[in-house]
Amino acid sequence: MSQAPDSGGGPVVTPARVVIGLCLSAPFVAMLWVGSYARTDPAFIGIPFFYWYQMLWVLVSTALTVVAYKLWQRDQRARAAARGGARR
């Protein structure tokens, strides 16, 4: 008795989704690991490292969130196309 694979679009771990997870979790890990940036040197234009490192992560987090969003959109389009192609 052979059964067709479930094409209901359930949760699937794909490389794109792993990258999305890494993009979204990297800022949290970086900010929660306070020991890595709890110092004043090197200063950048007079701003202690502690502050400019956190401000840099605001920009990096924005870029990583955009990458994750674009990958998610592409993944959803591919899943919709696969579902549509399977029905025909």
Side-chain angles (χ1 to χ4, degrees):
M1 192 189 261
S2 66
Q3 294 181 358
D6 183 21
S7 61
V12 177
V13 177
T14 62
R17 290 183 178 193
V18 171
V19 172
I20 290 168
L22 290 173
C23 286
L24 295 177
S25 63
F28 289 104
V29 172
M31 290 292 94
L32 290 175
W33 186 21
V34 178
S36 69
Y37 63 91
R39 56 182 188 262
T40 57
D41 289 327
F44 177 69
I45 60 171
I47 302 170
F49 180 75
F50 181 79
Y51 295 112
W52 69 258
Y53 179 81
Q54 292 179 60
M55 290 300 109
L56 179 65
W57 268 103
V58 169
L59 300 174
V60 171
S61 298
T62 302
L64 289 173
T65 303
V66 168
V67 168
Y69 177 69
K70 293 298 183 183
L71 285 171
W72 181 256
Q73 282 184 324
R74 191 169 79 178
D75 184 61
Q76 292 303 306
R77 281 194 304 266
R79 288 172 61 89
R83 268 194 311 263
R87 290 182 183 164
R88 292 182 184 175

